[in-house]
């Protein structure tokens, strides 16, 4: 995270888009089952070399005004 001279902050979110197998549990609700199905399908494609891992790189910047609005709203709840 970096504070700029104008009072803004900037940072980068980076994440390796790489799937691990998620084990299903009989207690999983429908949402968890759906997420695991989609994830495990991608995992199988990755293992079969039909889907290659890649990096998500997301630069983010908050202006000084945006930061003040967020902090002000948090302190006045």
């Amino acid at each position: 995270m970096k504070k700029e001279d104008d009072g803004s902050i900037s940072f980068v979110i980076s994440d390796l888009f790489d799937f691990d197998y998620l084990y299903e549990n009989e207690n999983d609700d429908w949402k968890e089952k759906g997420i695991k199905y989609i994830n495990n399908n991608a995992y199988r494609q990755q293992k079969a070399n039909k889907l290659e891992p890649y990096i998500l790189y997301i630069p983010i910047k908050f202006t000084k005004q945006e930061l003040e609005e967020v902090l002000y709203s948090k302190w006045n709840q």
Side-chain angles (χ1 to χ4, degrees):
M1 187 173 288
K2 181 180 177 187
K3 182 178 182 236
E4 307 292 344
D5 292 337
D6 63 2
S8 65
I9 61 167
S10 60
F11 58 95
V12 174
I13 296 174
S14 58
D15 184 25
L16 181 62
F17 193 56
D18 188 16
F19 294 93
D20 292 323
Y21 185 82
L22 298 178
Y23 291 94
E24 296 174 25
N25 183 327
E26 64 184 42
N27 297 327
D28 289 345
D29 63 23
W30 64 270
K31 184 177 178 182
E32 290 171 304
K33 288 179 183 179
I35 290 170
K36 289 180 180 181
Y37 175 83
I38 292 167
N39 179 86
N40 292 343
N41 186 42
Y43 170 82
R44 286 187 289 278
Q45 291 178 43
Q46 182 178 285
K47 286 296 182 188
N49 292 321
K50 295 184 180 196
L51 177 66
E52 294 188 27
Y54 60 90
I55 294 178
L56 297 172
Y57 181 83
I58 307 165
I60 299 185
K61 182 175 182 176
F62 289 102
T63 65
K64 181 180 179 182
Q65 181 180 351
E66 289 171 326
L67 288 171
E68 289 171 349
E69 289 172 4
V70 169
L71 293 173
Y72 180 77
S73 69
K74 292 291 182 190
W75 288 105
N76 291 307
Q77 288 184 355

